Amino acid sequence: MRFDKPVRLLSKRRMEIWIPITIAAAFLQNLRSALQKRLKATLSTWGATAARFVYAAPLALLVLGGLVLTTGATVPPLNLTFVLSGMAGGLAQILATGLLIHLFSYKNFTVATAFTKTEPIQTALFGIILLGDHLSLPVAVAILVSLVGVILISIPADATGRRSFLDRKALLGILSGGLFGLSAVAYRGASLSLADGDVFLRASVTLAFVTGFQAITVLVWLLVREPGQTQRLLRSWRSAGWVGLVGMLGSLAWFTAFTLQNAALVRALGQVEVIFMIAASILVFKERVTVREIAGVLLVAGGIIGLVLCSA
């Protein structure tokens, strides 16, 4: 019994650590999306997509190198499951990011991108099918409550917007969310397949491999399909570099959280970014919010609180 107690305490501590890490990841993701939206003014959809990966890859390698040098840790050997999962997740994330940036072109950006928030449900399904993950009934209910809140926040106030609520842009948002969900599950599978190393080391190795693969993939795509965008991307290093830095830090936080916890729970808690968005609109932009939006925020917050309590 004396040996069981430290194990239980360590397990509980890990369950607690993933929560602030996920909240930080959601905040950084929100910031990176804002920076990427500005970049869309000077670059094409795929040029802006490439910025996230091309400028993040060298930084991810620096993080891994610094970790190895300062701690004396040994990089765990890569295996076939790691390589295939990392590549599958990397491709899914590239496509999901491209779809999301494409949605930036529409005026009802918030409505269209809201459907990417179906990601936790889709992540849960992918996790169950691919990794054999399990969700308890209370956790599933908490995810659904949060999802209903997101939809409430996203319903347009005007009648014209409501009529086009479930149009092609919404389907693109759902597809983007599904691809993000698939990438999350693939990254968790890759990180867990590494036999050695602590959580942060495995997350750093996964991040370095994935971002390196993604950078090469999008650069080859640009050179073949949009050769002029490569030079524009390099000339935009001042703004694109910030996208890479914030994106890398956010990805590192996500990968660490995926290593610690079920990907569906992590993505569901990541819905907290919706609350960040509403808070910014009230406090920074002094915009008015409707009763429906307040109800949506309360549902999102309630779902997140329930999620944290049920999974602790």
Side-chain angles (χ1 to χ4, degrees), residues 200-245:
F200 193 65
L201 177 62
R202 283 184 286 156
S204 299
V205 171
T206 306
L207 177 64
F209 174 82
V210 169
T211 52
F213 167 74
Q214 289 173 320
I216 293 171
T217 301
V218 294
L219 278 176
V220 170
W221 174 265
L222 283 180
L223 288 171
V224 172
R225 299 300 299 268
E226 303 178 33
Q229 284 295 309
T230 306
Q231 280 124 19
R232 288 187 185 178
L233 178 62
L234 295 177
R235 285 199 300 267
S236 303
W237 65 269
R238 288 181 179 84
S239 51
W242 283 108
V243 171
L245 175 61

Side-chain angles (χ1 to χ4, degrees), residues 34 45 58 71 118 132 143 149 155 160 174 186 212 227-228 241 255-256 258 276 292 303:
T45 293
T71 64
T118 59
I143 292 175
I155 295 175
T160 303
I174 292 171
F255 282 31
T256 303
F258 293 149
F276 294 153
R292 173 175 47 76

Side-chain angles (χ1 to χ4, degrees), residues 24-249:
F27 176 79
L28 290 166
Q29 176 174 292
N30 206 20
L31 178 58
R32 188 257 308 150
S33 292
L35 292 171
Q36 223 162 5
K37 185 178 180 181
R38 291 183 61 187
L39 201 59
K40 180 70 169 62
T42 56
L43 297 173
S44 70
T45 293
W46 288 111
T49 301
R52 173 180 180 176
F53 307 114
V54 170
Y55 286 94
L59 297 174
L61 289 171
L62 282 174
V63 168
L64 177 59
L67 183 63
V68 170
L69 288 174
T70 55
T71 64
T74 302
V75 175
L78 308 186
N79 55 72
L80 184 60
T81 298
F82 175 88
V83 172
L84 293 179
S85 296
M87 292 173 67
L91 289 174
Q93 188 179 25
I94 290 172
L95 292 173
T97 303
L99 286 172
L100 180 62
I101 293 176
H102 175 67
L103 290 172
F104 290 164
S105 306
Y106 295 105
K107 289 182 180 179
N108 56 345
F109 159 73
T110 302
V111 174
T113 55
F115 284 91
T116 67
K117 303 307 178 185
T118 59
E119 178 188 350
I121 300 295
Q122 299 188 70
T123 302
L125 293 175
F126 284 127
I128 291 169
I129 295 170
L130 299 177
L131 299 181
D133 288 338
H134 298 283
L135 293 179
S136 66
L137 181 59
V139 167
V141 170
I143 292 175
L144 285 173
V145 168
S146 181
L147 178 61
V148 171
V150 171
I151 299 300
L152 275 179
I153 294 169
S154 308
I155 295 175
D158 59 294
T160 303
R162 286 195 294 271
R163 281 196 295 270
S164 62
F165 189 50
L166 289 172
D167 60 5
R168 177 174 172 272
K169 294 180 285 295
L171 295 177
L172 290 176
I174 292 171
L175 177 58
S176 177
L179 289 168
F180 275 127
L182 178 60
S183 70
V185 172
Y187 294 153
R188 174 169 166 79
S191 185
L192 293 179
S193 73
L194 297 175
D196 304 316
D198 61 20
V199 168
F200 193 65
L201 177 62
R202 283 184 286 156
S204 299
V205 171
T206 306
L207 177 64
F209 174 82
V210 169
T211 52
F213 167 74
Q214 289 173 320
I216 293 171
T217 301
V218 294
L219 278 176
V220 170
W221 174 265
L222 283 180
L223 288 171
V224 172
R225 299 300 299 268
E226 303 178 33
Q229 284 295 309
T230 306
Q231 280 124 19
R232 288 187 185 178
L233 178 62
L234 295 177
R235 285 199 300 267
S236 303
W237 65 269
R238 288 181 179 84
S239 51
W242 283 108
V243 171
L245 175 61
V246 174
M248 185 276 296
L249 292 174

